[in-house]
Amino acid sequence: AISMIRALLCHSNCQTPEYKLIGYLEENSQYYRILSSGEIASEAIPAEQLPETYLLVKLTDKASIKSLAEQLAKVDETITSKIQEITLTPSKVTADLSTLTMTDGNTILVPLSEIDTKLPYYSKIVSDIVEPSVIDMEVGIYRYVKTSQ
């Protein structure tokens, strides 16, 4: 009875942190919520229950997912809401290089460890772009027009 009272008191008075939904992780055709704390929900969501637009995280390492979530939580939602997919695409120079596919047709190359410091520049860069481009933030920041393959 005491634990029930404590639970009731805590329910009405305790502050539990609210974590934002960052995106979804896909495993075996099931989708799992990723929160800004870096936690991955244990309960799967079927594809038909996904929102119309969402961020798909294609990383497998749980530590990288946690780091990504924590960094994205620091970036303005006007930018993060435009990210469609994040994939790890290491280069010879950068082991944690990732590719961000944006809903506006652009692609961003940025090290996972630098998302919170480099991604805020996207707003300034994208205002000058007239056709789908690659914004390379691996070393410095520069852009070039995508070529059809």
Side-chain angles (χ1 to χ4, degrees):
I2 289 176
S3 63
M4 186 180 253
I5 291 169
R6 197 175 292 138
L8 287 171
L9 288 172
C10 188
H11 180 67
S12 58
N13 295 328
C14 293
Q15 295 277 329
T16 55
E18 283 289 320
Y19 293 109
K20 265 188 346 188
L21 176 66
I22 294 293
Y24 294 88
L25 177 69
E26 182 186 5
E27 286 182 349
N28 302 321
S29 301
Q30 294 288 312
Y31 296 85
Y32 299 87
R33 290 183 182 95
I34 302 171
L35 302 178
S36 58
S37 63
E39 295 297 312
I40 301 168
S42 56
E43 189 176 313
I45 298 170
E48 58 272 3
Q49 288 182 16
L50 287 169
E52 192 173 318
T53 59
Y54 60 92
L55 166 56
L56 183 60
V57 176
K58 291 190 165 185
L59 304 176
T60 54
D61 178 58
K62 303 291 186 232
S64 294
I65 294 169
K66 181 174 176 58
S67 173
L68 170 69
E70 291 169 346
Q71 288 195 54
L72 284 175
K74 297 175 192 172
V75 178
D76 193 287
E77 202 168 318
T78 58
I79 297 171
T80 59
S81 65
K82 294 178 180 149
I83 306 171
Q84 190 173 335
E85 185 177 290
I86 298 179
T87 310
L88 190 63
T89 52
S91 71
K92 291 176 185 174
V93 178
T94 310
D96 71 338
L97 188 65
S98 60
T99 298
L100 284 61
T101 305
M102 308 301 282
T103 57
D104 58 13
N106 294 315
T107 301
I108 301 173
L109 303 175
V110 61
L112 278 177
S113 56
E114 297 177 30
I115 282 180
D116 61 339
T117 57
K118 290 190 173 182
L119 207 51
Y121 292 105
Y122 182 70
S123 307
K124 294 177 181 97
I125 296 165
V126 77
S127 63
D128 296 332
I129 294 176
V130 291
E131 54 187 314
S133 298
V134 174
I135 295 92
D136 191 331
M137 299 180 173
E138 183 175 11
V139 179
I141 298 175
Y142 64 95
R143 67 183 164 96
Y144 50 91
V145 175
K146 283 185 181 180
T147 54
S148 53
Q149 297 172 333

